[in-house]
Amino acid sequence: MATKSKRVYFFGNGKAEGRGLPKEVLGGKGQGLAEMSSIGLPVPAGFTITVDTCALYYELGRKFPKDFEAEVKDNLKKLEKATGKKFGDVKNPLLVSVRSGAARSMPGMMETILNLGLNDVSVAGLAANTKNPRFAYDAYRRFIQMYSTTAMGLSKEPMEEMLTEMKKKAGVKTDPELSADHLKQLCEEFKAYYKKNMGGKPFPQEPMDQLWGAVKAVFGSWMAEKAVTYRRVEKITDLHGTAVNVQEMVFGNTGDNSGTGVCFTRDPSTGKNVFFGDCLINAQGEDVVAGIRTPLKLSDLGKYLPAAWKQLQNVRTQLEKHYKDMQDMEFTVENEKLFMLQCRTGKRTPAAAFKIAVDMVKEKLITKEEAVTRITPEDIERMFYPVIAETDKKKLESSFVGEGINAVPGAAAGQIMFTAEAAEAAYTAGKKVILVRKETSPEDVGGMHAAQGILTATGGKTSHAAVVARGWGKCCIVGADILDINVEKKQMVVKGKTYKEGDWLTLDGSSGAIYSGQLTLKDPVLPPEYKTLMGWCDEIRKLNVRTNADSPADARKAVEMGAEGIGLCRTEHMFFEGRERQLAIQSMIVADNTDDREKALSKLLPYQRKDFEGIFDAMDGKPVTIRLIDPPLHEFTPKDDAGVKELSKVTGLSPDRIAARIDQLHESNPMLGHRGCRLCITYPEILDMQVRAIIEAAVLCAKRGKKVFPEIMIPLTMASKEFFILEKRARAVADAIVKDAKSKVKYLIGTMMEIPRATLIADKIAEKAEFFSFGTNDLTQMTMGLSRDDAGRFLPEYVDEKKAGVFKADPFQVLDQEGVGQLVKLGIEKGRSTRPNLKIGICGEHGGELSSVKFCCANGMNYVSCSPYRVPIARLACAQFEVEAKKAKKAAPAKKTAMMKKAPAKKKAPAKRK
Ligand code: PEP
Ligand code: MG
């Protein structure tokens, strides 16, 4: 953290000391005030205390740093000079507002105090000076109220009640109708309340004491529970404090020729280019925000304060031209004169974000490159998920059951089913289902697919349930440990209440909240601007974006989302659709000799071939990476007696023998056991069947005139020999089929990079491997020594800044560039040292996450692959990377030239990595 000696920056009279400083120094509000002052907008003078000061205040155990108080006092003197008023003066007191302002807006999270500097004496001076005692006492009662609650932490309600009582007594309905005397009396009541609740201490009369109290309150609000929670939810991890803005007060409450308002240069809900906002006549800023009085439409300002309205419209145009983005502004009109109190980039809905970015390109305010940097992954994600309808927002509180980890956003409503079979049966019977499980396994896939939403009692964001659900864009909440599930009894108990099979639940996967009953959901509508902007991303990006898809339906969906190939088809997922396939794979597993195993595999062959054909058709000429079977065999075995009996009938083996085989397959640590390519080393006939299915499907499609590019992928390679054995065998099977069919089908054979050892010997593996795909789920698990299924139990604490804060983000979601990233880089470097044109991609969950995708772009991968619903996010991330790289390249020579006083050596532009 920087310990700059300058902690306070003055602004006013058309100048600002801090102009050009980043938000990280001045905070968003401070930066906006400095900028508006500098471009000649009417901004009341003031000064900004830096964000670093707040951070240092905490470092020093909630104490101001040395010399800070003297610096504030100097700036206060400047402010007195600029305004011609004196702080604490009895006749013409300088009053100030004290407001927070972090580098990122945290609406409603931090504190503001207005009218600071008033006391029992100066309020009388203000009343006499302005000849407006009503205004003076209104300002004083507001100040006492805000200071008591914000700086001193007294509860708000008693003072609000006193205000309501006073209105009753005066026989009036609204605050502005209260007279000066009423307000004066209210000030006395408030002060008495303060004294009583502050252990007999009177309300502070010394303005300097008030100021220090207010600055401390703003600093203190940074670590208030709600602010910390907000930062966690919004994933704000890179900020370390708030700035404080002290500014001369201007008054919107001097009478009917004054007012205040909040406005946006465009509609933040729809993005339409209309001036949008609320205002109030004879009021102070917080009245609008707090919703105390029903505000007027912004355009009504023209009726009441026409001169100020005209000025405000000019400010709107000027600010949009200046910032080239939609602005959110706060203003006050004091006696017909407009003052700007804030401007910042306005928050907007995802639909508005797309419309504003596209419209601004059309208006030539920004370029296409700039437009793609205006969209966030969250904007894209939120565009696609169903939402709980506005009409049901009221029911939320009464039906709230509890919450889990928000694994996949969107909302879902359905009837509870506790098993995959029940879910499938209910689905077949036309019901909407929420599948509730302790955890899910590959056997549950059918039920998961049938369900509207998935809820599990255990697991984290990369648990099976989460990964599978994300692939489908299906609402999913995991790790809801409040659920006490009893599958036998077909019920669960949550906080003492029992929920039975068939009861309705609504899940909000965006927040992790679980509701009882059936709330109304609605589908989002994609605006045309979405397509336009995503098209620009495709023009700009250099990396290809593929998808992880296991069925023709997923593949079609992914193409719709912009996928240019399949980067990972998990073939084991195909064994679980339908009982016949399940029985065939189970027969293969319980077979204890090669003949029986081959017989069982021959039953699976047509299913797989048909699926691959469907996928090749859907991808129509795009490359398709198909991974051979990966998970441990015991995951496929029957889990109950009924299942064993059914399998016994099919195979002719006794139930005891099947049970013994299941026992034999049990592993204590299956993630590190008999899985991945180890399965094909021990049972090569599995490889034979899968390669046959892939290549026969490719040949069939090619015969029908389709273009096909199959890529056979060997999972979990740890040794070069292991890979060479399987590569040789796969090639033999494939070449024979191609030859027999006299086909021209070409294919590639490559491997996943999921085991640290594989990255260390990537140069050897690349002797035969034609491509690498980084499986960063397993690579993270094995590099960090953390179970991807269990780490959810403690990782939240590891990323919580108020707790351990070991990592900034969950490494299973955001690639750990510091550690795992090194292995990725090494694998790429070593692989390409043997095979310079080695095709390299990523197919772990990180392939759809912004910073991880940018890392892949920066390190020379050819493509990223992610679940269909994340494809647009990856397209955006790749485009943003190119825009940022171009910007950095432009900036670099200038910087270097300035530093070294000589031109940098020219580097050849990298080849396009399509
Ligand atoms: C991986 O490990 O990153 C991967 C994509 O494989 P899976 O998630 O199927 O283990
Ligand atoms: Mg893996």
Side-chain angles (χ1 to χ4, degrees), residues 467 548 568 570 572-573 627 630 671 675 752 754 774-779 788 843-845:
V467 172
N548 298 352
L568 172 63
R570 292 174 164 106
E572 61 274 8
H573 288 184
R627 182 178 73 183
D630 180 0
M671 271 294 180
R675 65 177 282 221
M752 299 273 292
E754 295 167 283
F774 281 87
T776 42
N777 300 335
D778 274 312
L779 191 59
R788 56 196 269 195
C843 63
E845 285 297 291

Side-chain angles (χ1 to χ4, degrees), residues 68 235 289-290 301 317 473 529 577 646 782 793:
F68 167 69
K235 301 193 186 88
V289 183
L301 197 66
T317 317
E529 290 81 8
E577 270 173 34
E646 200 181 355
M782 296 194 210
R793 289 195 196 157

Side-chain angles (χ1 to χ4, degrees), residues 275-392:
F275 203 8
F276 180 98
D278 293 323
C279 64
L280 276 175
I281 303 301
N282 194 13
Q284 277 200 328
E286 81 274 12
D287 297 351
V288 182
V289 183
I292 298 167
R293 284 161 54 191
T294 311
L296 303 168
K297 272 202 297 211
L298 185 69
S299 52
D300 286 343
L301 197 66
K303 279 192 229 157
Y304 298 95
L305 304 166
W309 172 233
K310 218 169 153 201
Q311 284 178 59
L312 188 65
Q313 284 175 304
N314 289 338
V315 168
R316 174 197 180 205
T317 317
Q318 206 177 335
L319 279 180
E320 268 216 348
K321 271 205 181 126
H322 185 73
Y323 282 107
K324 301 181 194 317
D325 201 356
M326 187 263 267
Q327 297 296 300
D328 155 0
M329 311 170 326
E330 276 180 32
F331 66 90
T332 283
V333 180
E334 182 183 295
N335 301 329
E336 297 278 3
K337 190 172 169 355
L338 176 77
F339 291 95
M340 297 309 298
L341 301 183
Q342 176 172 302
C343 85
R344 62 183 174 198
T345 305
K347 282 194 188 290
R348 59 205 77 182
T349 63
F354 278 96
K355 177 153 179 60
I356 291 170
V358 170
D359 283 356
M360 285 191 168
V361 173
K362 285 188 197 150
E363 293 159 29
K364 298 200 164 35
L365 266 178
I366 58 173
T367 61
K368 288 178 187 176
E369 279 79 9
E370 281 169 308
V372 307
T373 64
R374 297 285 169 86
I375 302 297
T376 66
E378 291 73 28
D379 287 333
I380 294 184
E381 206 166 61
R382 289 170 192 160
M383 293 289 285
F384 286 93
Y385 294 114
V387 287
I388 294 176
E390 290 295 318
T391 44
D392 272 9

